[in-house]
Amino acid sequence: MKREWKPIKKYEDILFEQYGRIAKITINRPRVYNAFRPQTNKEMLDAMAYCRNASDIGVIILTGAGDKAFCSGGDQNVKGIGGYIDEQGVPRLNVLDLHKAIRSIPKPVIAMVNGYAIGGGNVLNVVCDLSIASDNARFGQTGPKVGSFDAGFGSSYLARCVGQKKAREIWFLCRQYTAEEAERMGMINKVVPLDRLEDETVEWCETILSRSPMAIRMIKRALNAELDGQRGMMEFAGDATLMYYLMAEAQEGKNAFLEKRDPNFEQFPKFP
Ligand code: S0N
């Protein structure tokens, strides 16, 4: 089905569009197989911040332009001493900020993998909450071959998904895996023919959108907290506070203070 994606904001390296309550971020650098440079990550971070604040957006799709690549990782043309060189000449690894944003946003992020997901491109796939791939997709890490590695979520969360032995194989050997292999090992959720990729992904989005947003939010937080340590607990706890603020019990405390009276917490039930 042909959908009319409405542009949200114009950028240089990405497309940022919306269809109903679904946002789509497309890395639009097909000439380099959608490799990212600091500018690309800066723009994706800006789009993610928009999605976080927009109450009419409930789920985000991350994909690449064309039918060759989802993302081929860091743009080797701008790799310099200390990182990927931005337009001011500063070396950056700001893709790590994007990883944090994907994990932190309290809405599901789905990787729609339409071709190669290699190096930092596969890390992006791994970091997303869910991954749906076309049957032409290929997955792999290249770090130890091209002078790089991701010892962050690209290792730890990958190992949670595929197991320690497989994660070590993926990183030590730097092989490529087919979409079917990636699905079997738990690196992605589903494989579909390329011409079904967007339909399938939008169907998953619509199912998620029909579910309770607070329940989805809390489950994402809980699943993250297990790996994310104190930061994960902080985000989980922040949402527990949000839920408490929504209760009459919390409002009674604030109202009593403003009305200069003692709070009446007796009225609230003590659950077993
Ligand atoms: C994707 C591959 C396998 C496709 O092979 P194929 O089909 O033979 O096409 P090519 O002719 O090789 O490529 C087509 C054109 O695209 C350009 N290109 C491809 N990838 C890149 C890239 N990453 N940077 C720049 N250009 C790229 C080709 O040059 C070619 O253009 P022309 O025709 O003009 O020559 C194959 O292309 C491939 O293997 N690509 C390299 C993939 C790779 O090694 N990527 C990893 C790079 N490193 C990282 O991603 C590290 C990420 C990082 O910064 C990081 C660091 C710390 C912590 C976390 C991270 C993180 O991101 O996770």
Side-chain angles (χ1 to χ4, degrees):
M1 174 185 156
K2 188 91 191 110
R3 278 173 200 86
E4 218 183 288
W5 292 89
K6 292 208 175 75
I8 298 175
K9 189 171 167 185
K10 251 186 138 21
Y11 292 101
E12 201 177 330
D13 284 8
I14 66 167
L15 303 174
F16 183 35
E17 301 161 300
Q18 184 167 359
Y19 171 74
R21 288 186 291 144
I22 306 167
K24 183 166 74 169
I25 298 171
T26 307
I27 304 175
N28 191 23
R29 308 188 74 223
R31 208 182 48 75
V32 286
Y33 277 30
N34 300 318
F36 53 76
R37 57 179 181 154
Q39 177 70 20
T40 323
N41 295 325
K42 195 172 152 204
E43 292 176 6
M44 288 197 277
L45 279 161
D46 189 67
M48 289 292 287
Y50 178 98
C51 292
R52 182 162 191 153
N53 286 309
S55 60
D56 66 334
I57 290 174
V59 56
I60 299 103
I61 296 173
L62 180 61
T63 192
D67 60 4
K68 294 277 189 298
F70 168 72
C71 174
S72 62
D75 186 335
Q76 298 306 287
N77 299 303
V78 298
K79 193 168 179 198
I81 307 295
Y84 293 85
I85 310 299
D86 74 8
E87 277 157 2
Q88 284 73 47
V90 179
R92 295 194 185 278
L93 257 180
N94 59 347
V95 74
L96 298 177
D97 296 323
L98 181 62
H99 298 171
K100 285 187 272 181
I102 291 171
R103 279 184 81 79
S104 182
I105 189 169
K107 303 172 183 181
V109 183
I110 303 184
M112 185 166 83
V113 184
N114 53 311
Y116 284 111
I118 302 288
N122 189 46
V123 174
L124 281 179
N125 160 58
V126 167
V127 170
C128 286
D129 297 298
L130 295 166
S131 304
I132 303 175
S134 52
D135 48 11
N136 65 324
R138 294 286 178 278
F139 299 81
Q141 297 303 150
T142 58
K145 212 165 64 177
V146 299
S148 174
F149 62 90
D150 179 6
F153 290 122
S155 305
S156 57
Y157 187 41
L158 177 69
R160 292 289 168 101
C161 295
V162 304
Q164 282 282 343
K165 293 281 183 188
K166 206 71 198 175
R168 284 162 208 247
E169 174 192 314
I170 292 167
W171 274 103
F172 291 177
L173 276 68
C174 301
R175 285 183 176 152
Q176 283 183 17
Y177 300 87
T178 64
E180 286 75 16
E181 288 170 320
E183 185 186 20
R184 268 202 303 278
M185 69 173 89
M187 194 151 66
I188 62 171
N189 296 86
K190 181 149 188 179
V191 188
V192 294
L194 180 60
D195 63 3
R196 275 274 314 143
L197 182 61
E198 186 173 288
D199 285 348
E200 183 75 23
T201 309
V202 168
E203 277 168 36
W204 283 48
C205 291
E206 281 170 349
T207 303
I208 292 168
L209 287 167
S210 73
R211 310 298 186 221
S212 155
M214 188 61 88
I216 300 273
R217 179 180 183 125
M218 296 307 286
I219 284 293
K220 175 164 176 171
R221 292 280 190 248
L223 291 169
N224 282 354
E226 191 222 352
L227 180 64
D228 291 1
Q230 184 58 47
R231 183 191 162 115
M233 282 308 297
M234 179 267 286
E235 299 212 278
F236 194 60
D239 278 0
T241 309
L242 163 65
M243 288 172 92
Y244 180 58
Y245 284 165
L246 295 171
M247 293 173 68
E249 186 176 325
Q251 286 154 28
E252 169 62 10
K254 180 204 69 177
N255 291 341
F257 175 80
L258 293 177
E259 291 160 16
K260 300 191 187 308
R261 61 173 172 82
D262 286 336
N264 173 13
F265 288 121
E266 289 294 309
Q267 61 184 307
F268 299 109
K270 280 108 191 125
F271 295 101

